[in-house]
Amino acid sequence: MGAWDIGPFGNDNAADFAGELDDTAPEQREDLVRAVFGTAVDEDGEFDELDAEDGDRIIAAAALVAAQCPGGTPIDTAYGPEQPLPLFGPETRRLAVTALTGVLSEDSELAELWDESDEGPAWRAEVKRLRAVLSAA
């Protein structure tokens, strides 16, 4: 796991996602974020098995959406996107909540990896905090 911090942009996959967002046309950035959330569920709305890379990207995308919500934390890291982001709508927030639930599920490789580390409880608390901010918005 290429992670150096439990924060949403504390890993290689999230930093790569930020670069991908910066390279995406402004009018397509929300679609990219929504597509990332879509990796958590299958066509029937059931949770898919999530690999660690998808989980990292979901958390990063959710942090960007949550940053626009009351109680959200601004993204202030060199590893986050540099380009402006759109104002995310309510449907994107709902998708983020669902995707974060998938990240925390027993079918998540990322959760399994974090649970094997000493930082697992702190990581879970951070993901749950993001989900709570998004749920309340």
Side-chain angles (χ1 to χ4, degrees), residues 18-35:
E20 186 179 343
L21 264 175
D22 285 340
D23 293 341
T24 299
E27 67 276 5
Q28 296 175 335
R29 290 182 184 143
E30 185 165 16
D31 291 339
L32 176 58
V33 167
R34 291 168 65 100

mmCIF file of all heavy atoms in Angstrom, residues 18-35:
data_model
loop_
_atom_site.group_PDB
_atom_site.id
_atom_site.type_symbol
_atom_site.label_atom_id
_atom_site.label_comp_id
_atom_site.label_asym_id
_atom_site.label_seq_id
_atom_site.Cartn_x
_atom_site.Cartn_y
_atom_site.Cartn_z
ATOM 1 N N ALA A 18 -5.898 13.018 -8.394
ATOM 2 C CA ALA A 18 -5.883 14.486 -8.441
ATOM 3 C C ALA A 18 -5.285 14.966 -9.763
ATOM 4 O O ALA A 18 -5.810 15.898 -10.384
ATOM 5 C CB ALA A 18 -5.096 15.040 -7.255
ATOM 6 N N GLY A 19 -4.224 14.328 -10.207
ATOM 7 C CA GLY A 19 -3.624 14.674 -11.496
ATOM 8 C C GLY A 19 -4.577 14.410 -12.652
ATOM 9 O O GLY A 19 -4.659 15.200 -13.601
ATOM 10 N N GLU A 20 -5.294 13.297 -12.558
ATOM 11 C CA GLU A 20 -6.276 12.968 -13.596
ATOM 12 C C GLU A 20 -7.387 14.024 -13.637
ATOM 13 O O GLU A 20 -7.817 14.449 -14.711
ATOM 14 C CB GLU A 20 -6.868 11.582 -13.324
ATOM 15 C CG GLU A 20 -7.774 11.066 -14.398
ATOM 16 C CD GLU A 20 -8.319 9.679 -14.081
ATOM 17 O OE1 GLU A 20 -7.782 8.974 -13.207
ATOM 18 O OE2 GLU A 20 -9.320 9.307 -14.729
ATOM 19 N N LEU A 21 -7.840 14.458 -12.465
ATOM 20 C CA LEU A 21 -8.848 15.520 -12.415
ATOM 21 C C LEU A 21 -8.322 16.799 -13.061
ATOM 22 O O LEU A 21 -9.041 17.451 -13.822
ATOM 23 C CB LEU A 21 -9.229 15.814 -10.961
ATOM 24 C CG LEU A 21 -10.457 15.143 -10.399
ATOM 25 C CD1 LEU A 21 -10.582 15.459 -8.916
ATOM 26 C CD2 LEU A 21 -11.712 15.524 -11.129
ATOM 27 N N ASP A 22 -7.089 17.160 -12.741
ATOM 28 C CA ASP A 22 -6.500 18.370 -13.322
ATOM 29 C C ASP A 22 -6.407 18.282 -14.839
ATOM 30 O O ASP A 22 -6.518 19.301 -15.527
ATOM 31 C CB ASP A 22 -5.108 18.626 -12.737
ATOM 32 C CG ASP A 22 -5.146 19.169 -11.325
ATOM 33 O OD1 ASP A 22 -6.188 19.703 -10.897
ATOM 34 O OD2 ASP A 22 -4.102 19.064 -10.634
ATOM 35 N N ASP A 23 -6.189 17.078 -15.364
ATOM 36 C CA ASP A 23 -6.067 16.884 -16.816
ATOM 37 C C ASP A 23 -7.410 16.766 -17.520
ATOM 38 O O ASP A 23 -7.460 16.742 -18.748
ATOM 39 C CB ASP A 23 -5.235 15.629 -17.110
ATOM 40 C CG ASP A 23 -3.780 15.778 -16.694
ATOM 41 O OD1 ASP A 23 -3.323 16.926 -16.525
ATOM 42 O OD2 ASP A 23 -3.106 14.739 -16.530
ATOM 43 N N THR A 24 -8.490 16.679 -16.763
ATOM 44 C CA THR A 24 -9.836 16.526 -17.325
ATOM 45 C C THR A 24 -10.434 17.908 -17.592
ATOM 46 O O THR A 24 -10.248 18.833 -16.805
ATOM 47 C CB THR A 24 -10.728 15.738 -16.340
ATOM 48 O OG1 THR A 24 -10.140 14.443 -16.147
ATOM 49 C CG2 THR A 24 -12.140 15.577 -16.850
ATOM 50 N N ALA A 25 -11.161 18.019 -18.692
ATOM 51 C CA ALA A 25 -11.812 19.286 -19.024
ATOM 52 C C ALA A 25 -12.735 19.699 -17.878
ATOM 53 O O ALA A 25 -13.387 18.843 -17.269
ATOM 54 C CB ALA A 25 -12.609 19.141 -20.317
ATOM 55 N N PRO A 26 -12.787 20.990 -17.563
ATOM 56 C CA PRO A 26 -13.590 21.455 -16.422
ATOM 57 C C PRO A 26 -15.033 20.953 -16.423
ATOM 58 O O PRO A 26 -15.543 20.558 -15.375
ATOM 59 C CB PRO A 26 -13.532 22.983 -16.538
ATOM 60 C CG PRO A 26 -12.253 23.255 -17.252
ATOM 61 C CD PRO A 26 -12.082 22.098 -18.205
ATOM 62 N N GLU A 27 -15.654 20.921 -17.569
ATOM 63 C CA GLU A 27 -17.060 20.495 -17.640
ATOM 64 C C GLU A 27 -17.238 18.990 -17.465
ATOM 65 O O GLU A 27 -18.359 18.503 -17.313
ATOM 66 C CB GLU A 27 -17.706 20.967 -18.950
ATOM 67 C CG GLU A 27 -17.156 20.320 -20.203
ATOM 68 C CD GLU A 27 -15.883 20.958 -20.763
ATOM 69 O OE1 GLU A 27 -15.321 21.872 -20.134
ATOM 70 O OE2 GLU A 27 -15.443 20.500 -21.838
ATOM 71 N N GLN A 28 -16.149 18.237 -17.432
ATOM 72 C CA GLN A 28 -16.223 16.788 -17.268
ATOM 73 C C GLN A 28 -15.742 16.309 -15.899
ATOM 74 O O GLN A 28 -15.771 15.117 -15.610
ATOM 75 C CB GLN A 28 -15.423 16.095 -18.364
ATOM 76 C CG GLN A 28 -15.980 16.339 -19.744
ATOM 77 C CD GLN A 28 -15.110 15.744 -20.822
ATOM 78 O OE1 GLN A 28 -13.905 15.541 -20.641
ATOM 79 N NE2 GLN A 28 -15.704 15.456 -21.965
ATOM 80 N N ARG A 29 -15.325 17.224 -15.048
ATOM 81 C CA ARG A 29 -14.756 16.825 -13.754
ATOM 82 C C ARG A 29 -15.784 16.189 -12.833
ATOM 83 O O ARG A 29 -15.474 15.213 -12.151
ATOM 84 C CB ARG A 29 -14.074 18.022 -13.082
ATOM 85 C CG ARG A 29 -12.811 18.415 -13.821
ATOM 86 C CD ARG A 29 -12.058 19.541 -13.194
ATOM 87 N NE ARG A 29 -10.938 19.853 -14.083
ATOM 88 C CZ ARG A 29 -10.498 21.059 -14.316
ATOM 89 N NH1 ARG A 29 -11.029 22.106 -13.688
ATOM 90 N NH2 ARG A 29 -9.501 21.257 -15.140
ATOM 91 N N GLU A 30 -17.004 16.703 -12.786
ATOM 92 C CA GLU A 30 -18.006 16.067 -11.929
ATOM 93 C C GLU A 30 -18.341 14.671 -12.441
ATOM 94 O O GLU A 30 -18.519 13.744 -11.649
ATOM 95 C CB GLU A 30 -19.273 16.907 -11.810
ATOM 96 C CG GLU A 30 -20.261 16.285 -10.825
ATOM 97 C CD GLU A 30 -21.361 17.227 -10.381
ATOM 98 O OE1 GLU A 30 -21.577 18.279 -11.021
ATOM 99 O OE2 GLU A 30 -22.011 16.900 -9.367
ATOM 100 N N ASP A 31 -18.387 14.495 -13.769
ATOM 101 C CA ASP A 31 -18.634 13.157 -14.324
ATOM 102 C C ASP A 31 -17.538 12.176 -13.914
ATOM 103 O O ASP A 31 -17.826 11.012 -13.602
ATOM 104 C CB ASP A 31 -18.723 13.214 -15.852
ATOM 105 C CG ASP A 31 -19.965 13.929 -16.346
ATOM 106 O OD1 ASP A 31 -20.951 14.044 -15.577
ATOM 107 O OD2 ASP A 31 -19.953 14.387 -17.503
ATOM 108 N N LEU A 32 -16.295 12.634 -13.886
ATOM 109 C CA LEU A 32 -15.194 11.772 -13.466
ATOM 110 C C LEU A 32 -15.354 11.372 -12.003
ATOM 111 O O LEU A 32 -15.197 10.199 -11.648
ATOM 112 C CB LEU A 32 -13.844 12.461 -13.687
ATOM 113 C CG LEU A 32 -12.614 11.702 -13.195
ATOM 114 C CD1 LEU A 32 -12.501 10.335 -13.850
ATOM 115 C CD2 LEU A 32 -11.349 12.527 -13.446
ATOM 116 N N VAL A 33 -15.694 12.333 -11.157
ATOM 117 C CA VAL A 33 -15.898 12.041 -9.734
ATOM 118 C C VAL A 33 -17.041 11.034 -9.566
ATOM 119 O O VAL A 33 -16.919 10.061 -8.814
ATOM 120 C CB VAL A 33 -16.164 13.348 -8.950
ATOM 121 C CG1 VAL A 33 -16.690 13.061 -7.559
ATOM 122 C CG2 VAL A 33 -14.893 14.191 -8.897
ATOM 123 N N ARG A 34 -18.128 11.235 -10.282
ATOM 124 C CA ARG A 34 -19.267 10.318 -10.193
ATOM 125 C C ARG A 34 -18.891 8.920 -10.696
ATOM 126 O O ARG A 34 -19.335 7.914 -10.131
ATOM 127 C CB ARG A 34 -20.457 10.881 -10.952
ATOM 128 C CG ARG A 34 -21.047 12.124 -10.278
ATOM 129 C CD ARG A 34 -22.043 12.837 -11.186
ATOM 130 N NE ARG A 34 -23.199 12.022 -11.448
ATOM 131 C CZ ARG A 34 -24.363 12.147 -10.828
ATOM 132 N NH1 ARG A 34 -24.524 13.076 -9.900
ATOM 133 N NH2 ARG A 34 -25.360 11.362 -11.135
ATOM 134 N N ALA A 35 -18.067 8.848 -11.732
ATOM 135 C CA ALA A 35 -17.621 7.550 -12.241
ATOM 136 C C ALA A 35 -16.782 6.817 -11.198
ATOM 137 O O ALA A 35 -16.894 5.590 -11.052
ATOM 138 C CB ALA A 35 -16.824 7.734 -13.536
#
